[in-house]
Amino acid sequence: KTTTARIIARSINCLNAVNDDNDNLLPCNECEQCKSIDAGNNVDVIEIDAASNTGVSNIREIIENVKYRPVSSKYKVYVIDEVHMLSTAAFNALLKTLEEPPSHIVFILATTEIRKVPITVLSRCQRFDLSRISNNQMVDHLSNVAEKENVKIELDGLQLISNASEGSVRDGLSLLDQAIAYCGKEIQEKNLRRMLGLSSKLEIVSLFSNLLKGEIKEALGSSRNQYDRGIDPTIMIQELMSLCHWVTRYKITANSEDDVTISDQERSNLIEISNKVSFANLSRFWQMLLKGLE
C-alpha cells in the first residue's frame, strides 16, 4: 500500500511524467522529484504512521500545515498509513480538511481494516482496493527474483511459497528470503516444507486415505508421527481440507492437471480415492474438518 502511495506521489509530482495508452500518468523515475520521493527525503511528501500518531493533536498539526504551499513540488502529499488506528476525535478533526482540501494538497489514506474507517471519511475519498495476486503471477515473480539472486529452487518449491503467502507479494518475498537463509543457494522442497511446518504431500495423502477408509490406528500413528516432528495440527487439518477440496473438484470436473503442487504419484493416489468415495462422505468429511479447524 505504501509503495503504491509513493508511486502516486511520484506520478503527480514528476517533472517529466508521460501518459501511456490508457491515459495513466507514468513517472519518469529519473527527475529530481522522483528520486527524492523514492529515497524518502522529499519535503513535500509526508508519511505519517497513524498507529503511533493516533491523537487529535497530531491531526491538528497536519491541518495547521495544510495551508502552506509545497516547497518544490506541484502537490504536497500526505500519506497516512494504517489510518484505521486514528481515534474518533482525530477522524472528526480531519473531516473538514478532507472535504475541502486546498488545491495543492493530496491525502492518501492506507489501511488493511477498511471496516474500521468511519463512513463519513470513506464517503469523502476515492477508494482503491488492492487485490491478491494469482498463484501464477506470484510464482513468475518469485522465480524472477530467485534467478537474479542466483538461487536454485524448483517449481514445486515456488508453488509452496506462493500458497503460504496467500496472494501477498511482500509475504512471498519474506518467505523466499527466509528460505534462502535456511537452505542456502539451493532450496530443496523437503527443507522448504520443514521451514514452513508442512508435512510431505505423500504423508498427508496417506493420512487422508486412512481417514476415509476408517483405518483409525494407522491415522492416529501417522498424525502422531507428524506432530512429533513439529508439524502444527492446524496445518495438518488445512492440508487435509486442501486434499478434500481437490478430490471433490476432481469428481465434478474430472480435471486433474490444474494443480502443479501435486506430483504424478500423489495425483494417481487421489484419483483412486476419488473413484471410491461418495459425494456424501466427502461433504461430511469437509464439515468435520471445518469443525476441527475451529
Side-chain angles (χ1 to χ4, degrees):
K1 302 182 303 297
T2 322
T3 307
T4 307
R6 286 190 195 128
I7 292 169
I8 294 171
R10 283 212 307 266
S11 300
I12 59 179
N13 280 328
C14 177
L15 303 172
N16 309 312
V18 292
N19 288 47
D20 68 2
D21 298 339
N22 298 322
D23 215 27
N24 295 319
L25 267 181
L26 298 181
C28 68
N29 298 325
E30 297 296 329
C31 69
E32 193 184 318
Q33 286 293 326
C34 284
K35 284 179 177 171
S36 62
I37 292 170
D38 216 20
N41 55 20
N42 188 303
V43 291
D44 294 320
V45 177
I46 302 110
E47 289 187 27
I48 299 148
D49 175 23
S52 46
N53 298 285
T54 57
V56 71
S57 57
N58 306 109
I59 295 302
R60 285 215 180 98
E61 200 177 312
I62 295 173
I63 295 164
E64 280 299 308
N65 291 325
V66 155
K67 57 185 178 227
Y68 300 115
R69 296 193 67 80
V71 178
S72 59
S73 312
K74 203 186 301 179
Y75 292 99
K76 205 182 219 179
V77 182
Y78 285 94
V79 179
I80 307 179
D81 203 8
E82 307 301 346
V83 74
H84 65 274
M85 301 290 277
L86 289 180
S87 65
T88 308
F91 270 126
N92 288 338
L94 192 58
L95 273 182
K96 192 68 182 163
T97 312
L98 280 183
E99 193 165 32
E100 297 169 3
S103 58
H104 57 269
I105 296 285
V106 174
F107 282 99
I108 303 177
L109 314 178
T111 178
T112 42
E113 303 278 351
I114 196 74
R115 297 179 309 282
K116 292 183 183 175
V117 179
I119 195 76
T120 46
V121 172
L122 286 178
S123 64
R124 288 161 170 79
C125 298
Q126 188 170 354
R127 178 172 160 180
F128 302 94
D129 290 307
L130 304 184
S131 55
R132 297 175 186 280
I133 70 165
S134 73
N135 259 5
N136 290 343
Q137 283 175 303
M138 180 73 81
V139 167
D140 288 346
H141 184 58
L142 294 176
S143 170
N144 190 19
V145 172
E147 200 177 304
K148 286 177 179 169
E149 296 289 336
N150 295 321
V151 172
K152 280 182 73 178
I153 179 167
E154 291 173 355
L155 183 63
D156 286 357
L158 289 170
Q159 195 70 40
L160 282 177
I161 294 176
S162 176
N163 289 344
S165 69
E166 297 182 340
S168 163
V169 181
R170 182 172 56 187
D171 291 355
L173 290 173
S174 298
L175 288 169
L176 181 61
D177 211 9
Q178 285 176 37
I180 294 168
Y182 184 76
C183 308
K185 290 287 187 182
E186 197 161 323
I187 301 170
Q188 293 181 331
E189 190 191 350
K190 62 177 183 185
N191 293 336
L192 197 53
R193 281 185 173 278
R194 198 175 299 140
M195 184 196 95
L196 294 170
L198 302 173
S199 49
S200 87
K201 252 308 176 6
L202 273 172
E203 276 183 311
I204 281 288
V205 172
S206 162
L207 176 60
F208 182 63
S209 174
N210 294 148
L211 289 167
L212 283 173
K213 289 177 186 169
E215 296 168 348
I216 309 302
K217 189 178 171 187
E218 291 84 346
L220 284 172
S222 171
S223 57
R224 164 57 68 181
N225 182 26
Q226 292 179 58
Y227 179 73
D228 288 345
R229 292 207 320 274
I231 288 157
D232 187 340
T234 310
I235 288 179
M236 260 191 268
I237 291 182
Q238 284 171 339
E239 292 226 327
L240 285 169
M241 290 179 84
S242 167
L243 291 184
C244 184
H245 179 251
W246 192 96
V247 170
T248 309
R249 203 174 56 204
Y250 176 74
K251 277 187 88 68
I252 295 166
T253 64
N255 177 12
S256 66
E257 301 300 319
D258 57 353
D259 192 341
V260 294
T261 60
I262 293 177
S263 70
D264 292 340
Q265 186 187 346
E266 292 153 7
R267 190 175 277 120
S268 62
N269 289 356
L270 286 172
I271 290 171
E272 194 182 326
I273 291 169
S274 173
N275 293 334
K276 289 179 181 172
V277 69
S278 68
F279 268 125
N281 282 346
L282 278 173
S283 177
R284 192 175 304 141
F285 191 72
W286 178 264
Q287 295 291 336
M288 289 164 82
L289 286 173
L290 264 181
K291 280 273 187 284
L293 192 61
E294 280 174 27

